[in-house]
Coordinates of all heavy atoms in Angstrom, one line a residue:
M1271 N 0.8 -1.2 0.0 CA 0.0 0.0 0.0 C 0.9 1.3 0.0 O 1.8 1.4 0.8 CB -0.8 -0.1 1.2 CG -2.3 0.3 0.9 SD -3.2 0.6 2.5 CE -4.0 -0.9 2.8
G1272 N 0.6 2.2 -0.8 CA 1.3 3.5 -0.9 C 0.9 4.5 -0.1 O -0.3 4.4 0.5
D1273 N 1.5 5.6 0.1 CA 1.1 6.8 1.0 C 0.2 7.5 0.1 O 0.4 8.0 -0.8 CB 2.5 7.5 1.2 CG 2.1 8.7 2.0 OD1 1.0 8.8 2.8 OD2 2.8 9.8 2.1
H1274 N -0.9 7.6 0.6 CA -2.1 8.5 0.1 C -2.4 9.7 0.7 O -3.2 9.6 1.7 CB -3.4 7.5 -0.3 CG -3.1 6.3 -1.0 ND1 -2.9 6.4 -2.4 CD2 -2.8 5.1 -0.7 CE1 -2.7 5.2 -2.9 NE2 -2.6 4.4 -1.8
G1275 N -2.0 10.9 0.3 CA -2.3 12.1 1.1 C -1.5 12.4 2.1 O -0.3 11.9 2.3
T1276 N -1.9 13.3 3.1 CA -1.2 13.9 4.2 C -1.0 12.8 5.3 O -1.8 12.0 5.6 CB -2.0 15.0 4.8 OG1 -2.1 16.0 3.8 CG2 -1.2 15.6 5.9
A1277 N 0.2 12.7 5.8 CA 0.4 11.8 6.8 C -0.5 12.2 8.1 O -0.7 13.4 8.3 CB 1.9 11.9 7.3
R1278 N -0.7 11.3 8.9 CA -1.8 11.5 10.0 C -1.1 11.0 11.3 O -0.6 9.9 11.4 CB -3.1 10.9 9.6 CG -3.7 11.6 8.4 CD -5.2 11.5 8.3 NE -5.6 12.0 7.0 CZ -6.2 13.1 7.0 NH1 -6.4 13.9 7.9 NH2 -6.5 13.6 5.7
H1279 N -1.4 11.7 12.3 CA -1.0 11.1 13.7 C -2.1 10.4 14.2 O -3.2 10.3 13.7 CB -0.4 12.3 14.5 CG -1.4 13.2 14.9 ND1 -2.2 13.0 16.0 CD2 -1.8 14.4 14.6 CE1 -3.0 14.1 16.2 NE2 -2.8 14.9 15.3
K1280 N -1.9 9.9 15.5 CA -3.1 9.1 16.2 C -4.2 9.9 16.2 O -4.1 11.1 16.6 CB -2.5 8.6 17.5 CG -3.3 7.7 18.2 CD -2.7 7.3 19.5 CE -3.7 6.3 20.1 NZ -3.0 5.7 21.4
G1281 N -5.3 9.5 15.9 CA -6.5 10.3 15.9 C -6.9 10.8 14.5 O -8.1 11.2 14.2
G1282 N -6.0 10.4 13.5 CA -6.4 10.7 12.2 C -6.3 12.1 11.6 O -6.7 12.4 10.4
R1283 N -6.0 13.0 12.4 CA -6.0 14.4 12.0 C -4.6 14.8 11.4 O -3.5 14.2 12.0 CB -6.2 15.4 13.0 CG -7.6 15.3 13.5 CD -7.9 16.3 14.5 NE -6.8 16.5 15.5 CZ -6.9 17.0 16.7 NH1 -7.9 17.5 17.1 NH2 -5.8 17.2 17.4
P1284 N -4.4 15.7 10.5 CA -3.1 16.0 9.9 C -2.4 16.8 11.1 O -2.9 17.6 11.8 CB -3.5 17.1 8.9 CG -4.8 17.1 8.6 CD -5.6 16.3 9.8
R1285 N -1.2 16.7 11.1 CA -0.3 17.4 12.2 C 0.1 18.5 11.5 O 0.5 18.7 10.3 CB 0.9 16.4 12.5 CG 0.4 15.1 13.2 CD 1.6 14.3 13.7 NE 2.4 14.0 12.4 CZ 3.5 13.2 12.4 NH1 3.9 12.7 13.5 NH2 3.9 12.8 11.3
A1286 N 0.4 19.5 12.4 CA 1.0 20.9 11.8 C 2.3 20.7 11.1 O 2.6 21.3 10.1 CB 1.1 21.9 12.9
E1287 N 3.2 19.7 11.7 CA 4.5 19.5 11.1 C 4.3 18.9 9.8 O 5.3 18.7 9.1 CB 5.4 18.8 12.1 CG 4.9 17.4 12.5 CD 4.1 17.5 13.8 OE1 3.5 18.6 14.1 OE2 3.9 16.5 14.5
D1288 N 3.2 18.3 9.4 CA 2.9 17.7 8.2 C 2.6 18.7 7.0 O 2.2 18.2 5.9 CB 1.9 16.5 8.2 CG 2.3 15.4 9.1 OD1 3.7 15.1 9.2 OD2 1.5 14.8 9.8
H1289 N 2.5 19.9 7.5 CA 2.1 21.1 6.5 C 3.1 20.9 5.4 O 4.3 20.9 5.4 CB 2.2 22.3 7.1 CG 1.9 23.5 6.2 ND1 0.6 23.8 5.7 CD2 2.7 24.4 5.6 CE1 0.7 24.7 4.9 NE2 1.9 25.2 4.8
D1290 N 2.4 20.9 4.1 CA 3.2 20.8 2.8 C 3.3 22.3 2.4 O 2.3 22.8 1.9 CB 2.5 19.9 1.9 CG 3.2 19.8 0.6 OD1 4.3 20.6 0.4 OD2 2.7 19.1 -0.2
P1291 N 4.4 22.8 2.3 CA 4.5 24.3 1.8 C 4.3 24.4 0.2 O 4.0 25.5 -0.2 CB 6.1 24.7 2.1 CG 6.6 23.5 2.4 CD 5.7 22.4 2.8
Q1292 N 4.3 23.3 -0.4 CA 3.9 23.2 -1.9 C 2.5 23.1 -2.0 O 2.0 23.2 -3.2 CB 4.6 22.2 -2.5 CG 6.1 22.2 -2.4 CD 6.6 23.4 -3.0 OE1 6.3 23.8 -4.1 NE2 7.6 24.1 -2.4
R1293 N 1.7 23.1 -1.0 CA 0.2 23.0 -1.1 C -0.3 24.1 -1.9 O 0.1 25.2 -1.7 CB -0.5 22.8 0.3 CG -1.6 22.2 0.4 CD -1.9 22.0 2.0 NE -3.3 22.3 2.2 CZ -3.9 22.5 3.3 NH1 -3.2 22.4 4.4 NH2 -5.1 22.8 3.4
Q1294 N -1.5 23.9 -2.5 CA -2.1 25.0 -3.4 C -2.4 26.2 -2.5 O -3.0 26.0 -1.4 CB -3.3 24.4 -4.1 CG -2.8 23.6 -5.2 CD -4.1 23.0 -6.0 OE1 -5.2 23.5 -5.6 NE2 -3.9 22.3 -7.1
E1295 N -2.3 27.4 -2.9 CA -2.7 28.5 -2.1 C -4.1 28.5 -1.9 O -4.6 29.3 -1.0 CB -2.2 29.8 -2.8 CG -0.6 30.0 -2.7 CD -0.2 30.0 -1.2 OE1 -0.8 30.7 -0.4 OE2 0.8 29.4 -0.8
D1296 N -4.9 28.0 -2.8 CA -6.3 28.1 -2.6 C -7.0 27.0 -1.7 O -8.1 26.8 -1.5 CB -7.2 28.2 -3.9 CG -6.9 26.8 -4.7 OD1 -6.1 26.2 -4.4 OD2 -7.6 26.9 -5.7
A1297 N -6.0 26.2 -1.1 CA -6.5 25.2 -0.1 C -7.1 26.0 1.2 O -6.7 27.1 1.4 CB -5.3 24.3 0.2
P1298 N -8.1 25.4 1.9 CA -8.6 26.0 3.0 C -7.7 26.1 4.3 O -6.7 25.4 4.3 CB -9.7 25.1 3.4 CG -9.3 23.7 2.9 CD -8.5 23.9 1.8
L1299 N -8.0 26.9 5.1 CA -7.4 27.1 6.4 C -7.8 25.8 7.2 O -9.0 25.4 7.2 CB -7.8 28.3 7.2 CG -7.4 28.5 8.6 CD1 -5.8 28.5 8.7 CD2 -8.0 29.7 9.3
I1300 N -6.8 25.1 7.9 CA -7.1 24.0 8.7 C -6.8 24.3 10.1 O -5.7 24.8 10.4 CB -6.2 22.7 8.2 CG1 -6.4 22.4 6.8 CG2 -6.5 21.6 9.2 CD1 -7.8 21.8 6.4
A1301 N -7.8 24.1 11.0 CA -7.6 24.4 12.5 C -7.9 23.2 13.1 O -9.0 22.6 13.1 CB -8.5 25.6 12.9
N1302 N -7.0 22.6 13.8 CA -7.1 21.4 14.7 C -7.7 20.2 13.9 O -8.6 19.5 14.2 CB -8.0 21.6 15.9 CG -7.4 22.3 16.9 OD1 -6.2 22.7 16.8 ND2 -8.0 22.9 17.9
G1303 N -7.2 20.2 12.5 CA -7.6 19.1 11.7 C -8.9 19.2 10.9 O -9.4 18.3 10.2
Q1304 N -9.5 20.5 11.2 CA -10.9 20.7 10.4 C -10.7 21.8 9.3 O -10.0 22.7 9.7 CB -11.9 21.1 11.5 CG -12.2 20.1 12.5 CD -12.7 18.9 12.1 OE1 -13.7 18.9 11.3 NE2 -12.2 17.6 12.5
D1305 N -11.3 21.6 8.3 CA -11.3 22.6 7.2 C -12.3 23.7 7.8 O -13.4 23.6 8.1 CB -11.9 22.0 6.0 CG -12.2 23.0 4.8 OD1 -12.3 24.3 5.1 OD2 -12.4 22.6 3.7
V1306 N -11.7 24.9 7.9 CA -12.4 26.0 8.5 C -12.7 27.1 7.4 O -13.1 28.3 7.7 CB -11.9 26.6 9.7 CG1 -11.9 25.6 10.9 CG2 -10.4 27.2 9.7
G1307 N -12.3 26.8 6.1 CA -12.6 27.7 5.0 C -11.5 28.9 5.0 O -10.4 28.7 5.3
D1308 N -12.0 29.9 4.3 CA -11.1 31.0 4.0 C -11.0 32.0 5.2 O -11.9 32.3 5.8 CB -11.8 31.8 2.9 CG -10.9 33.1 2.4 OD1 -9.8 33.3 3.0 OD2 -11.2 33.8 1.4
P1309 N -9.7 32.3 5.8 CA -9.5 33.1 7.0 C -9.8 34.5 6.7 O -9.7 35.4 7.5 CB -8.2 32.8 7.2 CG -7.5 32.4 6.0 CD -8.5 31.7 5.1
E1310 N -10.0 34.9 5.3 CA -10.3 36.4 4.9 C -9.3 37.4 5.4 O -9.7 38.4 5.7 CB -11.8 36.6 5.4 CG -12.9 35.7 5.0 CD -14.2 36.0 5.7 OE1 -14.3 36.8 6.5 OE2 -15.0 35.2 5.4
G1311 N -8.1 37.0 5.4 CA -7.0 37.8 5.7 C -7.0 38.4 7.2 O -6.4 39.3 7.6
K1312 N -7.6 37.6 8.2 CA -7.7 38.0 9.5 C -6.3 37.6 10.2 O -5.7 36.8 9.7 CB -8.8 37.1 10.2 CG -10.1 37.6 9.8 CD -11.3 36.9 10.5 CE -12.5 37.2 10.1 NZ -13.6 36.5 10.8
S1313 N -6.1 38.2 11.3 CA -4.9 37.9 12.1 C -5.2 36.7 12.8 O -6.4 36.3 13.1 CB -4.5 39.1 13.0 OG -5.6 39.2 14.0
V1314 N -4.2 36.1 13.4 CA -4.5 34.8 14.3 C -5.4 35.3 15.4 O -6.4 34.6 15.7 CB -3.1 34.3 14.9 CG1 -3.4 33.3 15.9 CG2 -2.4 33.7 13.7
A1315 N -5.1 36.4 16.2 CA -5.8 36.8 17.3 C -7.3 37.1 16.9 O -8.3 36.6 17.7 CB -5.3 38.1 17.9
S1316 N -7.5 37.8 15.8 CA -9.0 38.0 15.4 C -9.7 36.8 14.9 O -10.8 36.6 15.3 CB -8.9 39.2 14.4 OG -8.5 38.7 13.2
W1317 N -9.0 36.0 14.4 CA -9.6 34.6 14.0 C -10.0 33.9 15.3 O -11.2 33.4 15.4 CB -8.8 33.8 13.1 CG -9.5 32.6 12.6 CD1 -10.2 32.5 11.4 CD2 -9.6 31.3 13.2 NE1 -10.7 31.3 11.2 CE2 -10.5 30.5 12.4 CE3 -9.3 30.8 14.4 CZ2 -10.8 29.2 12.7 CZ3 -9.6 29.5 14.8 CH2 -10.4 28.7 13.9
L1318 N -9.1 33.8 16.3 CA -9.3 33.1 17.5 C -10.6 33.7 18.2 O -11.5 33.0 18.6 CB -8.2 33.1 18.4 CG -6.9 32.3 18.0 CD1 -5.7 32.6 18.8 CD2 -7.3 30.7 18.0
S1319 N -10.6 35.1 18.3 CA -11.6 35.8 19.1 C -12.9 35.5 18.4 O -14.0 35.2 19.1 CB -11.2 37.3 19.1 OG -12.4 38.0 19.8
D1320 N -13.0 35.6 17.0 CA -14.2 35.4 16.2 C -14.8 34.0 16.4 O -16.1 33.7 16.2 CB -14.0 35.7 14.8 CG -13.8 37.2 14.4 OD1 -13.9 38.1 15.5 OD2 -13.5 37.5 13.3
N1321 N -13.9 33.1 16.7 CA -14.3 31.6 16.7 C -14.5 31.2 18.2 O -14.4 30.0 18.5 CB -13.3 30.8 16.0 CG -13.6 31.0 14.5 OD1 -14.6 30.3 13.9 ND2 -12.8 31.8 13.8
G1322 N -14.5 32.2 19.2 CA -14.9 31.9 20.6 C -13.8 31.6 21.3 O -14.0 31.1 22.5
Y1323 N -12.5 31.7 21.0 CA -11.4 31.4 21.9 C -11.1 32.7 22.8 O -11.2 33.8 22.4 CB -10.1 31.0 21.0 CG -10.3 29.7 20.3 CD1 -10.8 29.5 19.0 CD2 -9.9 28.5 20.9 CE1 -10.9 28.4 18.4 CE2 -10.0 27.3 20.2 CZ -10.5 27.1 19.1 OH -10.7 26.1 18.4
D1324 N -10.6 32.3 24.0 CA -10.1 33.3 24.9 C -8.6 33.5 24.5 O -7.7 32.7 24.9 CB -10.3 32.9 26.4 CG -9.9 34.0 27.4 OD1 -9.3 35.0 27.0 OD2 -10.0 33.7 28.5
V1325 N -8.3 34.5 23.7 CA -7.0 34.7 23.1 C -5.8 34.6 24.2 O -4.8 33.8 24.0 CB -6.9 36.0 22.2 CG1 -5.5 36.3 21.6 CG2 -7.7 35.9 21.1
P1326 N -5.9 35.4 25.3 CA -4.8 35.2 26.2 C -4.6 33.8 26.9 O -3.5 33.6 27.4 CB -5.3 36.2 27.4 CG -6.2 37.2 26.7 CD -7.0 36.3 25.8
K1327 N -5.6 33.0 26.8 CA -5.5 31.7 27.4 C -5.4 30.7 26.2 O -5.6 29.4 26.4 CB -6.7 31.4 28.2 CG -6.7 32.1 29.4 CD -8.0 31.8 30.2 CE -8.1 32.7 31.6 NZ -9.2 32.5 32.1
T1328 N -4.8 31.0 25.1 CA -4.6 30.2 23.8 C -3.3 30.0 23.4 O -2.7 31.2 23.2 CB -5.7 30.6 22.8 OG1 -7.0 30.6 23.4 CG2 -5.8 29.7 21.6
A1329 N -2.7 29.0 23.0 CA -1.5 28.7 22.4 C -1.8 28.3 20.9 O -2.7 27.5 20.7 CB -0.6 27.8 23.1
V1330 N -1.0 28.8 19.9 CA -1.3 28.4 18.5 C 0.1 28.0 17.9 O 1.2 28.7 18.0 CB -1.8 29.7 17.7 CG1 -1.9 29.3 16.3 CG2 -3.2 30.0 18.3
L1331 N 0.0 26.9 17.1 CA 1.1 26.5 16.4 C 0.6 26.6 14.9 O -0.5 26.1 14.5 CB 1.2 24.9 16.6 CG 2.5 24.3 16.3 CD1 3.6 24.8 17.1 CD2 2.4 22.7 16.4
L1332 N 1.4 27.6 14.1 CA 0.9 27.8 12.8 C 2.0 27.3 11.8 O 3.2 27.7 12.0 CB 0.8 29.4 12.7 CG 0.4 29.8 11.3 CD1 -1.0 29.4 10.9 CD2 0.5 31.5 11.3
N1333 N 1.5 26.4 11.0 CA 2.4 25.8 10.1 C 3.6 25.1 10.8 O 4.8 25.3 10.3 CB 2.8 26.6 8.9 CG 1.6 27.2 8.1 OD1 0.6 26.5 8.0 ND2 1.6 28.5 7.8
G1334 N 3.4 24.5 11.9 CA 4.5 23.9 12.7 C 5.3 24.8 13.6 O 6.4 24.4 14.2
K1335 N 5.0 26.0 13.6 CA 5.7 27.0 14.5 C 4.9 27.7 15.5 O 3.7 28.1 15.2 CB 6.5 28.2 13.6 CG 7.5 27.5 12.6 CD 8.2 28.5 11.9 CE 9.2 27.8 10.9 NZ 9.9 28.7 10.0
I1336 N 5.3 27.8 16.6 CA 4.6 28.5 17.8 C 4.4 30.1 17.4 O 5.4 30.8 17.0 CB 5.3 28.4 19.1 CG1 5.3 27.0 19.5 CG2 4.5 29.4 20.1 CD1 6.1 26.7 20.8
V1337 N 3.2 30.6 17.5 CA 3.1 32.0 17.3 C 3.2 32.7 18.6 O 2.3 32.4 19.6 CB 1.6 32.3 16.8 CG1 1.4 33.8 16.6 CG2 1.6 31.6 15.4
P1338 N 4.2 33.4 18.9 CA 4.2 34.1 20.2 C 3.1 35.0 20.4 O 2.5 35.6 19.5 CB 5.5 35.0 20.1 CG 6.4 34.4 18.9 CD 5.3 33.8 18.0
R1339 N 2.6 35.0 21.7 CA 1.4 35.8 22.0 C 1.5 37.2 21.5 O 0.6 37.9 21.0 CB 1.1 35.7 23.6 CG -0.2 36.0 24.0 CD -0.5 35.8 25.5 NE -0.1 34.5 26.0 CZ -0.5 33.4 25.7 NH1 -1.4 33.1 24.9 NH2 0.0 32.2 26.2
D1340 N 2.7 37.8 21.7 CA 2.7 39.3 21.3 C 2.8 39.4 19.8 O 2.7 40.6 19.3 CB 4.0 39.9 21.9 CG 5.2 39.2 21.3 OD1 5.4 38.3 20.7 OD2 6.3 39.9 21.7
R1341 N 2.7 38.4 19.0 CA 2.7 38.5 17.5 C 1.3 38.0 16.9 O 1.1 37.8 15.7 CB 3.8 37.6 16.9 CG 5.1 38.3 17.1 CD 6.2 37.7 16.3 NE 7.4 38.4 16.6 CZ 8.6 37.8 16.3 NH1 8.7 36.7 15.7 NH2 9.8 38.4 16.5
M1342 N 0.3 37.5 17.8 CA -0.8 37.0 17.4 C -1.8 38.0 16.6 O -2.4 37.6 15.6 CB -1.8 36.4 18.5 CG -1.2 35.0 18.9 SD -2.4 34.3 20.1 CE -1.5 32.9 20.6
E1343 N -1.6 39.3 17.0 CA -2.4 40.3 16.4 C -1.8 40.7 15.0 O -2.4 41.1 14.0 CB -2.5 41.6 17.2 CG -3.5 42.5 16.7 CD -4.9 42.0 17.0 OE1 -5.3 41.5 17.9 OE2 -5.6 42.1 15.8
S1344 N -0.4 40.6 14.8 CA 0.2 41.0 13.6 C 0.5 39.9 12.7 O 0.9 40.1 11.5 CB 1.6 41.7 13.9 OG 2.5 40.8 14.6
T1345 N 0.1 38.6 13.1 CA 0.4 37.5 12.1 C -0.9 37.2 11.3 O -1.9 36.8 12.0 CB 0.8 36.2 13.0 OG1 2.0 36.4 13.7 CG2 1.0 34.9 12.1
A1346 N -0.9 37.4 10.1 CA -2.1 37.3 9.2 C -2.1 35.8 8.8 O -1.1 35.1 8.5 CB -1.9 38.1 7.8
L1347 N -3.3 35.4 8.7 CA -3.7 33.9 8.2 C -4.0 33.9 6.7 O -4.5 35.0 6.2 CB -4.9 33.4 9.0 CG -4.7 33.2 10.4 CD1 -6.1 32.9 11.1 CD2 -3.8 32.0 10.7
K1348 N -3.7 32.9 6.0 CA -4.0 32.8 4.7 C -4.5 31.4 4.4 O -4.2 30.5 5.2 CB -2.7 33.1 3.7 CG -1.6 32.2 4.0 CD -0.4 32.7 3.2 CE 0.8 31.7 3.2 NZ 1.2 31.3 4.5
E1349 N -5.2 31.3 3.3 CA -5.7 29.9 2.8 C -4.3 29.1 2.8 O -3.3 29.6 2.5 CB -6.2 30.1 1.5 CG -7.6 30.7 1.6 CD -8.4 30.6 0.3 OE1 -7.7 31.0 -0.7 OE2 -9.5 30.5 0.2
S1350 N -4.5 27.9 3.1 CA -3.5 26.8 3.0 C -2.6 26.7 4.4 O -1.8 25.8 4.5 CB -2.4 26.9 1.8 OG -1.6 27.8 2.1
D1351 N -2.9 27.6 5.3 CA -2.3 27.6 6.6 C -2.8 26.4 7.4 O -4.1 26.0 7.2 CB -2.5 28.9 7.4 CG -1.5 29.9 7.1 OD1 -0.4 29.7 6.3 OD2 -1.8 31.2 7.3
T1352 N -2.1 25.9 8.3 CA -2.6 24.8 9.2 C -2.3 25.3 10.7 O -1.2 25.6 10.9 CB -1.8 23.4 9.0 OG1 -2.1 23.1 7.7 CG2 -2.3 22.4 10.0
M1353 N -3.2 25.4 11.4 CA -3.1 25.7 12.9 C -3.6 24.6 13.8 O -4.5 23.8 13.6 CB -4.2 26.9 13.3 CG -3.9 28.3 12.8 SD -4.7 29.6 13.5 CE -6.4 29.2 13.0
E1354 N -2.8 24.5 14.9 CA -3.1 23.6 16.0 C -3.4 24.5 17.1 O -2.5 25.5 17.4 CB -2.1 22.6 16.2 CG -1.9 21.5 15.3 CD -3.1 20.6 15.2 OE1 -3.9 20.3 16.1 OE2 -3.5 20.2 14.0
I1355 N -4.5 24.5 17.8 CA -4.9 25.5 18.8 C -5.3 24.7 20.1 O -5.8 23.7 20.2 CB -6.2 26.2 18.5 CG1 -6.1 26.8 17.0 CG2 -6.7 27.2 19.6 CD1 -7.4 27.2 16.4
V1356 N -4.6 25.3 21.2 CA -4.7 24.7 22.5 C -5.2 25.8 23.4 O -4.6 26.9 23.5 CB -3.4 24.2 23.1 CG1 -3.6 23.5 24.6 CG2 -2.9 23.0 22.1
S1357 N -6.2 25.6 24.1 CA -7.0 26.6 25.0 C -6.7 26.0 26.5 O -6.9 24.8 26.8 CB -8.4 26.8 24.9 OG -8.6 27.3 23.5
F1358 N -6.2 26.9 27.3 CA -6.0 26.5 28.6 C -7.1 26.9 29.6 O -7.7 28.0 29.5 CB -4.7 27.2 29.3 CG -3.6 26.9 28.5 CD1 -3.0 27.7 27.4 CD2 -2.8 25.8 28.7 CE1 -1.9 27.3 26.7 CE2 -1.6 25.3 27.9 CZ -1.3 26.1 27.0
V1359 N -7.6 26.0 30.4 CA -8.8 26.3 31.3 C -8.4 25.9 32.7 O -7.7 25.1 32.9 CB -10.1 25.5 30.8 CG1 -10.6 26.0 29.5 CG2 -9.7 24.0 30.8
G1360 N -9.0 26.8 33.6 CA -8.7 26.5 35.0 C -9.6 25.5 35.6 O -10.7 25.2 34.9
G1361 N -9.5 25.0 36.7 CA -10.4 24.1 37.3 C -9.6 23.3 38.4 O -8.4 23.4 38.7
G1362 N -10.4 22.5 39.1 CA -9.7 21.7 40.2 C -10.3 20.5 40.3 O -10.8 19.7 39.5

């Protein structure tokens, strides 16, 4: 059996480190393994906020690289990007 498509980690979702820089520019934005469509030129921070994330309590890996919190507002998303998002929640 040959390799068909993107490599996948346990759980079947594409990994950020599997992002293919040669992927077509009109491919959708992928967030946590889900096609979330066109990011419409939004920043990481604005996309997170628009999608219900608490930005100060969220870490993002964009195309395999951590986006520093102080750069989330200035980092623009584009089609074909891959994000892995982790939200921190308190509790006991």
Side-chain angles (χ1 to χ4, degrees):
M1271 229 195 261
D1273 180 27
H1274 299 284
T1276 303
R1278 301 198 184 256
H1279 67 85
K1280 190 174 183 177
R1283 296 184 319 197
R1285 297 179 299 184
E1287 59 267 26
D1288 293 330
H1289 175 74
D1290 180 0
Q1292 299 300 317
R1293 207 169 134 189
Q1294 292 181 354
E1295 286 301 312
D1296 61 351
L1299 172 66
I1300 303 294
N1302 290 346
Q1304 301 296 313
D1305 173 346
V1306 294
D1308 182 355
E1310 301 170 7
K1312 293 182 180 182
S1313 69
V1314 170
S1316 64
W1317 189 93
L1318 290 170
S1319 181
D1320 290 351
N1321 286 277
Y1323 290 92
D1324 185 355
V1325 177
K1327 295 181 181 178
T1328 304
V1330 174
L1331 203 64
L1332 181 63
N1333 301 325
K1335 296 181 182 175
I1336 294 172
V1337 178
R1339 199 168 319 286
D1340 64 349
R1341 292 196 182 152
M1342 285 189 180
E1343 195 61 53
S1344 63
T1345 302
L1347 294 170
K1348 63 184 183 311
E1349 289 180 316
S1350 80
D1351 280 342
T1352 300
M1353 283 195 298
E1354 289 295 324
I1355 304 164
V1356 177
S1357 293
F1358 301 97
V1359 292

